[in-house]
Amino acid sequence: DQQVKQNSPSLSVQEGRISILNCDYTNSMFDYFLWYKKYPAEGPTFLISISSIKDKNEDGRFTVFLNKSAKHLSLHIVPSQPGDSAVYFCAASDGGGGADGLTFGKGTHLIIQP
Amino acid sequence: DGGITQSPKYLFRKEGQNVTLSCEQNLNHDAMYWYRQDPGQGLRLIYYSQIVNDFQKGDIAEGYSVSREKKESFPLTVTSAQKNPTAFYLCASTDRGRNSPLHFGNGTRLTVT
């Protein structure tokens, strides 16, 4: 049973436009959410996070929105750049304090078209 | 430069052989983790260790073993009992702060034939 779902395996966006990556979760105990970015043959790198007490967090071109009632979060990248082409993983924490309480989605492969 | 080093990057083994994947970190992190990534799949937790000489099974620990004799090192052994060992293995670490992001190594691609 997938508790964190990224329903789009891939997404293609034109350079300069906005990229919107979506993530849904089912566990109401999740209270902290993170996005990781991964290039091929490399480890994921942390991108941005949001606590359940907020509905938006912004860091440069990256903004994460959280809709708790819908159990949905999204990552907005604007403007999209070629270097943003990567796999993006959504992850959710159940408040256990460690990464053992972290659940990852299956990832969305973002492709930025020139 | 602080970071996590996984070696080797590519590893090939014959079926029935045990193989050990190395993970070293110089970030002074207490907690270390091993994940497995398969195509089209998210990251699945194999084992984790929050302090030296202690470790816990993750979601898919069967066929794997670990040790944590030093804070810096958390090797993973893929045993012959693991039915589908071919995968991309990622080691990660984090400090003890709540919700601290994971720092990942660059992974080891294991192929068993």
Side-chain angles (χ1 to χ4, degrees), chain A residues 4 18 28-29 52 55-57 59 62 69-73 79 81 89 92 109:
Chain A
V4 177
I18 183 171
S28 57
M29 296 299 292
S52 60
D55 54 18
K56 176 183 173 181
N57 189 25
D59 183 2
F62 303 92
S69 60
K71 292 192 176 69
H72 175 85
L73 64 155
Q81 299 174 354
F89 289 101
H109 185 194

Side-chain angles (χ1 to χ4, degrees), chain B residues 59-78:
Chain B
D59 300 319
I60 55 165
E62 187 175 346
Y64 299 98
S65 66
V66 293
S67 63
R68 186 87 186 276
E69 297 176 4
K70 298 186 299 182
K71 186 176 185 177
E72 304 80 21
S73 179
F74 191 41
L76 173 74
T77 297
V78 184

Side-chain angles (χ1 to χ4, degrees), chain A residues 74-87:
Chain A
S74 60
L75 174 68
H76 293 212
I77 306 173
V78 55
S80 300
Q81 299 174 354
D84 296 330
S85 294
V87 176

